[in-house]
Amino acid sequence: MAVETPRAAPMIVCRDVHKWYGHFHALRGVDMEVNKGEVIVIFGPSGSGKSTFIRTLNRLEEHQRGQILVDGVELSNDVRNIERVRMETGMVFQQFNLFPHLTVMQNVTLAPLWVRHWPKARAEKTAVELLARVGIPEQADKYPGQLSGGQQQRVAIARALAMQPKIMLFDEPTSALDPEMIKEVLESMIALAKSGMTMLVVTHEMGFARAVADRMYFFDEGVIVESGTPKEIFEAPKEARTRLFLSQILTH
Amino acid sequence: MIEAQAPRPQDVLPPPVERYTILGWMYRNLFSSWFNALLTFAAVALVYAIGKPLLTWTFSQARWEVVSVNIRLLMAGQYPVAELWRVWLCVHLLAVLGGLSWGVWVRGYRLVGLIVLAAPLGLAAALQGGPARIHLVAAAIVALVAYVLGRVAGRRIQRTLITLWIVYLPLVLLIVNGIGRETDPLRLVSSNLWGGLLLTLLLTAVGILVSFPLGILLALGRRSQLPIIRWSSIAYIELVRGVPLVTILFMAQIMLPLFLPAEIKIDRVVRAMVGIILFTAAYQAENIRGGLQAIPPGQFDAAKAIGLSGIQSMVLIIMPQALRNVIPVLVGQFIALYKDTSLVAIVGLLDLLGIAKSIVSQPQFIGLQREAYLFVTLIYWFLSYFMAHLSQRLEVALGVGER
């Protein structure tokens, strides 16, 4: 075996990832490499497979062909591998998906207590710090239903961060929010990006992409149509489809 | 963050207050139109027409001695008189637990609490005397003292209390059933002698506590990915739901011994219990499945994404929400179970209703069915309503519909 150049292994490697829903070919050979600390923005029309793709990265969706490695662990039917990957990846959903029967504090401490087996004091201390970091330290004893959408989404970010993940996945985190709440969530995400977290974000918030994205991927019909830095994508998109889509979302 | 603009003082108004006089209230609610007034008069007339003869009969014509003479049979059936202290012991333990729980968890609701306390005292007043009277008063006092202690101790004893509740039913079964031989202080009392309210309550309690977890397992089984588990759960549920409870009770009496080796003899009470449990479990499985269907898929996603295992997400995330959603139907099913225990009379067990039936068929009590059945009705209603009340309290405590 040849001696490789000493270079940090990528956090995420996807090779020729395919996914079908019945006869519908949702992902048609997606290749991607994400290095540590990179912020990736994935965008594209609805039904383009971008959400499906990000959900394959912690195996909420199974891919049927190709290979996905997350932090060196291959995702397969091996349950232990899946559990390892899920411990290292946090995920934030469009609909927040907080646990409505638990308080904010319990939402955030649940995984550290039951998956990482931390003592309660440590889990709660971390939770308090995280809630302060996303700007809602005073809501710990409330239930999710008592919070605004923006606050719920920030709790969801804190909940995902509580496991101290190496990678954060965001699946349209601001799509279900009122305009004035989008800002508060994006601010938390920008702060997170600047702290050096590896992030994959499915979003149409082009301001966010411009501010912190290292690379952008444009998905359409289950394939990556185009990728590049925000500068390349916004100023000189190569593909007609990318140009058309950008013109649609940027003018409206 | 966007700061809300402070409203000017003159914008902030208190909500309008509606004040009624009694006459104003009556006008609004009873006589707001000529049709409403007519309905009001008709309702009053109806209540009078039904209420007057009922009250007259209850307090001047009814011969309640059929109840007071037979109270021991109605309460405990043919349970040996010498061993009745064991049943009383269970009652007093229940008073302790009930009082403590009321003090720790319920706190308020004094009126309901007083009614619950008044029941044994009222019964004591109606009796001619004897040890039962003393026991009933004692139980009420015990409950009251326990309530005060529970209030003082508060949530600190929560865990102990839950543990005590868990041990309570097995302990009661042990005390009532007894162990050992004739000469031992806690000698065996054959379940053929259990009867009356004692039997009804034991069938109900065991039925609820065993059918509930079984129902959860069946509901999960029906949603299982494994075909064998799924199919057998579906087959079981649909089979049992397609058969009347009476049939299942008969089958349990006659068929159960066929499936078991000849040397194992199961007594009739246990056979009835098994029948009731198997029946209720099938219905509860469907109720619980309904609760599971209502959980948004996002909850499963979120539980997986934070790394919980399948069992952890079921126990910590999915089941608590699913069960909370269906508290009314679950409790409804349990109330139905409580009332359905009266069907065991058909297979020859003397539960509350069975005993009442056999009492009124005795020559000296002929013609007193109304009194006996009304008493039995009241007991059924009392506990059913109490269960319904607890279920509502539970819903409020768990914030159903609010979060």
Side-chain angles (χ1 to χ4, degrees):
Chain A
M1 219 174 154
V3 180
E4 288 182 21
T5 46
R7 191 185 125 224
M11 285 303 263
I12 296 174
V13 180
C14 301
R15 288 192 201 105
D16 192 32
V17 172
H18 287 258
K19 163 88 190 167
W20 287 263
Y21 292 111
H23 289 288
F24 179 65
H25 201 167
L27 293 178
R28 302 190 290 155
V30 175
D31 292 281
M32 194 183 285
E33 271 195 24
V34 180
N35 291 316
K36 192 171 184 304
E38 274 191 309
V39 176
I40 306 295
V41 163
I42 297 169
F43 67 111
S46 65
S48 60
K50 54 195 193 307
S51 280
T52 304
F53 170 68
I54 203 170
R55 286 163 62 87
T56 59
L57 298 179
N58 61 352
R59 199 122 173 135
L60 292 185
E61 303 287 352
E62 224 172 279
H63 61 285
Q64 286 130 324
R65 224 172 85 190
Q67 197 183 26
I68 299 177
L69 288 140
V70 177
D71 197 22
V73 180
E74 173 158 18
L75 280 171
S76 62
N77 284 325
D78 187 337
V79 179
R80 271 172 311 169
N81 279 3
I82 295 174
E83 279 173 5
R84 270 171 72 193
V85 167
R86 284 180 182 161
M87 276 174 82
E88 304 304 338
T89 49
M91 189 165 203
V92 176
F93 302 87
Q94 181 177 0
Q95 300 294 342
F96 328 137
N97 297 349
L98 293 178
F99 306 128
H101 62 302
L102 301 177
T103 63
V104 166
M105 178 55 92
Q106 289 167 331
N107 264 282
V108 179
T109 55
L110 190 77
L113 288 174
W114 289 91
V115 183
R116 292 233 190 261
H117 303 291
W118 287 2
K120 200 173 176 194
R122 182 179 169 196
E124 290 191 344
K125 187 167 164 281
T126 313
V128 169
E129 287 165 9
L130 285 170
L131 289 174
R133 196 164 142 195
V134 294
I136 37 170
E138 69 288 347
Q139 313 285 8
D141 296 322
K142 289 196 181 164
Y143 285 89
Q146 298 167 311
L147 304 181
S148 74
Q151 290 172 328
Q152 289 194 45
Q153 193 60 299
R154 287 184 286 161
V155 173
I157 294 173
R159 177 178 70 180
L161 289 174
M163 285 291 281
Q164 303 187 326
K166 294 179 179 162
I167 301 162
M168 283 286 281
L169 308 174
F170 293 83
D171 187 5
E172 305 207 31
T174 55
S175 304
L177 293 174
D178 291 339
E180 78 268 28
M181 291 168 183
I182 291 178
K183 190 165 159 255
E184 60 188 52
V185 171
L186 286 181
E187 276 167 5
S188 295
M189 288 169 61
I190 289 170
L192 187 62
K194 288 185 173 155
S195 75
M197 175 66 74
T198 311
M199 288 165 67
L200 275 85
V201 185
V202 173
T203 187
H204 292 153
E205 292 297 332
M206 291 300 138
F208 172 80
R210 241 186 261 270
V212 289
D214 294 302
R215 258 175 313 130
M216 297 176 70
Y217 287 83
F218 176 59
F219 269 62
D220 195 14
E221 293 180 353
V223 291
I224 296 172
V225 175
E226 184 169 357
S227 69
T229 63
K231 202 171 149 66
E232 288 163 1
I233 294 283
F234 288 123
E235 289 169 17
K238 291 188 212 79
E239 301 289 330
R241 272 192 283 177
T242 319
R243 238 171 292 151
L244 179 68
F245 183 74
L246 279 173
S247 73
Q248 280 166 344
I249 61 167
L250 290 178
T251 50
H252 287 290
Chain B
M1 290 217 18
I2 301 153
E3 284 291 316
Q5 212 177 19
R8 287 165 298 162
Q10 66 265 31
D11 291 344
V12 184
L13 299 173
V17 182
E18 292 190 56
R19 279 210 194 86
Y20 292 131
T21 57
I22 293 175
L23 279 178
W25 183 89
M26 282 175 71
Y27 175 73
R28 249 170 194 260
N29 294 291
L30 301 176
F31 303 101
S32 56
S33 66
W34 65 268
F35 184 66
N36 245 349
L38 201 69
L39 279 182
T40 304
F41 285 125
V44 169
L46 191 68
V47 168
Y48 182 78
I50 295 173
K52 189 179 174 251
L54 192 67
L55 287 176
T56 324
W57 177 82
T58 306
F59 290 106
S60 59
Q61 292 163 357
R63 291 167 53 202
W64 292 109
E65 69 267 17
V66 64
V67 172
S68 53
V69 167
N70 293 303
I71 193 75
R72 184 175 60 81
L73 282 174
L74 284 166
M75 291 296 117
Q78 313 222 292
Y79 205 82
V81 180
E83 304 295 328
L84 271 181
W85 62 271
R86 280 148 64 167
V87 180
W88 282 116
L89 180 62
C90 299
V91 171
H92 294 307
L93 287 175
L94 184 67
V96 171
L97 285 179
L100 281 175
S101 306
W102 204 274
V104 171
W105 288 307
V106 185
R107 295 182 156 253
Y109 282 84
R110 298 232 172 85
L111 186 67
V112 182
L114 281 179
I115 293 171
V116 173
L117 267 187
L121 291 178
L123 206 57
L127 292 177
Q128 266 96 28
R133 218 168 173 177
I134 302 162
H135 275 300
L136 281 169
V137 175
I141 294 171
V142 165
L144 204 61
V145 171
Y147 167 73
V148 174
L149 285 178
R151 280 210 74 141
V152 172
R155 305 262 150 156
R156 272 174 298 162
I157 58 165
Q158 204 160 240
R159 280 191 184 194
T160 326
L161 201 51
I162 292 172
T163 321
L164 287 176
W165 271 117
I166 294 170
V167 218
Y168 179 69
L169 186 64
L171 191 67
V172 165
L173 287 174
L174 186 73
I175 294 174
V176 170
N177 189 53
I179 30 168
R181 295 178 305 272
E182 282 294 310
T183 47
D184 291 332
L186 213 59
R187 71 183 181 84
L188 218 59
V189 176
S190 158
S191 66
N192 289 334
L193 301 174
W194 305 4
L197 184 62
L198 173 70
L199 180 62
T200 297
L201 291 183
L202 285 177
L203 287 172
T204 307
V206 173
I208 289 175
L209 286 176
V210 182
S211 69
F212 184 51
L214 207 58
I216 291 179
L217 290 180
L218 280 168
L220 292 177
R222 192 163 185 170
R223 288 165 58 100
S224 169
Q225 309 277 337
L226 305 168
I228 295 186
I229 294 182
R230 186 171 66 244
W231 291 335
S232 42
S233 299
I234 293 176
Y236 174 82
I237 291 169
E238 297 307 337
L239 197 69
V240 170
R241 290 205 307 163
V243 179
L245 177 56
V246 182
T247 318
I248 292 179
L249 287 174
F250 273 125
M251 299 253 268
Q253 295 298 329
I254 299 156
M255 310 265 290
L256 205 58
L258 296 182
F259 297 123
L260 296 166
E263 58 270 23
I264 298 181
K265 287 257 185 337
I266 308 184
D267 66 70
R268 291 190 305 160
V269 170
V270 175
R271 278 183 248 167
M273 273 178 186
V274 169
I276 290 171
I277 288 165
L278 295 182
F279 180 79
T280 307
Y283 280 87
Q284 291 297 39
E286 285 299 274
N287 292 339
I288 293 164
R289 195 168 66 92
L292 287 170
Q293 309 278 56
I295 306 295
Q299 292 290 309
F300 292 88
D301 287 346
K304 279 185 207 163
I306 60 171
L308 296 180
S309 70
I311 294 173
Q312 281 176 333
S313 49
M314 199 38 85
V315 173
L316 297 169
I317 307 298
I318 307 303
M319 236 353 132
Q321 296 185 58
L323 295 180
R324 202 184 68 164
N325 289 343
V326 291
I327 289 173
V329 264
L330 290 180
V331 176
Q333 193 71 51
F334 288 143
I335 292 176
L337 180 155
Y338 168 53
K339 294 181 295 185
D340 283 350
T341 56
S342 55
L343 289 173
V344 298
I346 293 174
V347 291
L349 295 178
L350 292 174
D351 73 314
L352 184 57
L353 191 65
I355 286 272
K357 235 166 97 182
S358 66
I359 287 171
V360 293
S361 62
Q362 288 170 34
Q364 69 266 41
F365 299 118
I366 276 179
L368 298 179
Q369 288 99 326
R370 273 183 291 195
E371 287 83 348
Y373 287 139
L374 199 64
F375 178 74
V376 168
T377 308
L378 267 178
I379 291 185
Y380 275 115
W381 175 80
F382 189 78
L383 196 67
S384 298
Y385 184 73
F386 188 66
M387 283 159 83
H389 173 79
L390 280 187
S391 124
Q392 275 173 6
R393 286 273 320 156
L394 195 64
E395 281 180 51
V396 172
L398 296 177
V400 175
E402 287 168 38
R403 50 187 194 242

